[in-house]
Amino acid sequence: MAQSTFESYLITGGAGFVGSYLAEALIKKGKRVAVIDDLSTGRVENIAPLLSHPNFHFARATIMDSIVMDRLVSQADIVVHLAAAVGVQLIVEHPVHTIETNIMGTESVLKSALRYGCRVLIASTSEVYGKGYRIPFNETDDVLLGATDKHRWAYAASKMVDEFLGLAYLDEFGLDVVLFRLFNTVGPRQRGQYGMVIPRFMQQALKGEPITVYGDGTQRRCFGHVKDVIQAIIGLAEHPEAPGYVYNIGSTEEVSINELAARIKDITQTHSEIIHIPYSKAYAPGFEDMARRVPDTSRIQNLLGWQPQYTLDDILNDVMVYEQQQLGL
Ligand code: UDP
């Protein structure tokens, strides 16, 4: 049976939105935590309260730097690999960076982990389900991606390669690998500039600007609180039976984007109008969105008993309080 008490974590992308919450929770549990982040989308402010903690170490470097990676992995007994190109806006605008970071970065992490025999958790994404229409999405479903001239699908394909690579390292070399697919994950500190809808709508509402719904707004999503999501990640990290599988992590509370805009308008009591913008203007001509995205979370529930504790209303309240503070309201 694999080791199940890990004391020394390395989090790639640990200055990012999800990574910084994870780092904080692990430090609170008394773990040693090292973070590697090139601050391309991560921010030092996210980890500022941890920087002076004796159990915390921050390396500003890219995961492609194999020398730094190797040194950090040699000092860890488990790696949580979150560093990746994220955000639909960023992915559509910088496809080369997306593909290279996601594929070469994961390869670099796995090579070092193999050298030192570390458990590795690799973050993947619900984008992998692409245009899947069988709801809810189960980890064993076939995947249906769009054509290669639509850059959005490069993200899904690159993350699929990461999953294949992780499982191949497990099957061929016996490396202890766990994969998880994050569904829409939100909460305070998430930034809106790479596309994420909740911080964008909340900022627009609080500033009295138009709330920009893309497409006709009938597309549906399930938003999970980052605090729930990191509990699922920690559960997988610690569970001896977790390796060898992919796990969906997300909420199953569905909402349409029109309804989300209306709820945000309501709780902020804004006079902002809700406007609709065609996808071709918001992203690029030919952009394809998913109509519905709901996870089947029975696999992780069966393993860990994990279930989200926060509702969408809780999330919207938390994000509103945070954004009000940011805007000095
Ligand atoms: N969206 C929107 N207005 C915005 C940003 C996003 O209507 O200002 C939509 C987007 O087209 C998608 C949904 O909100 O249908 C969720 O977008 P996000 O980028 O947060 O995550 P995705 O589900 O696309 O990964």
Side-chain angles (χ1 to χ4, degrees), residues 21 44 47 59 66 73 125 130 142 147 155 170 178 217 231 250-251 270 274 290 309 321-322:
Y21 276 90
V44 174
I47 49 168
S66 54
V73 175
T125 165
D142 289 342
Y155 176 55
L170 181 138
V178 183
Q231 290 310 321
S251 157
T270 181
I274 297 174
M290 288 79 147
Q309 303 299 310
V321 169
Y322 171 79

Side-chain angles (χ1 to χ4, degrees), residues 36-111:
I36 177 170
D37 200 304
D38 65 0
L39 302 183
S40 53
T41 52
R43 291 182 299 158
V44 174
E45 299 96 279
N46 286 344
I47 49 168
L50 302 176
L51 289 171
S52 58
H53 196 286
N55 284 350
F56 186 78
H57 172 71
F58 173 51
R60 180 178 179 170
T62 161
I63 49 170
M64 317 274 210
D65 184 332
S66 54
I67 295 172
V68 177
M69 268 307 291
D70 205 70
R71 181 173 54 79
L72 291 170
V73 175
S74 74
Q75 292 159 358
D77 44 29
I78 179 163
V79 183
V80 183
H81 176 41
L82 297 171
V86 286
V88 175
Q89 195 88 43
L90 180 79
I91 286 153
V92 172
E93 285 168 11
H94 300 286
V96 173
H97 168 80
T98 299
I99 297 166
E100 289 185 354
T101 308
N102 291 0
I103 296 181
M104 295 175 195
T106 300
E107 194 187 5
S108 155
V109 169
L110 285 167
K111 278 205 166 117

Side-chain angles (χ1 to χ4, degrees), residues 136-152:
F137 294 153
N138 181 275
E139 293 90 343
T140 57
D141 285 349
D142 289 342
V143 297
L144 180 63
L145 301 188
T148 49
D149 62 353
K150 314 250 174 0
H151 291 311
R152 175 180 199 150

Side-chain angles (χ1 to χ4, degrees), residues 152 184 195-197 200-201 212-214 219 221 289 293:
R152 175 180 199 150
N184 294 69
M196 280 70 170
V197 68
R200 288 175 62 82
F201 282 7
T212 56
V213 173
Y214 297 161
Q219 68 272 30
R221 295 290 187 275
D289 201 10
R293 187 192 269 165

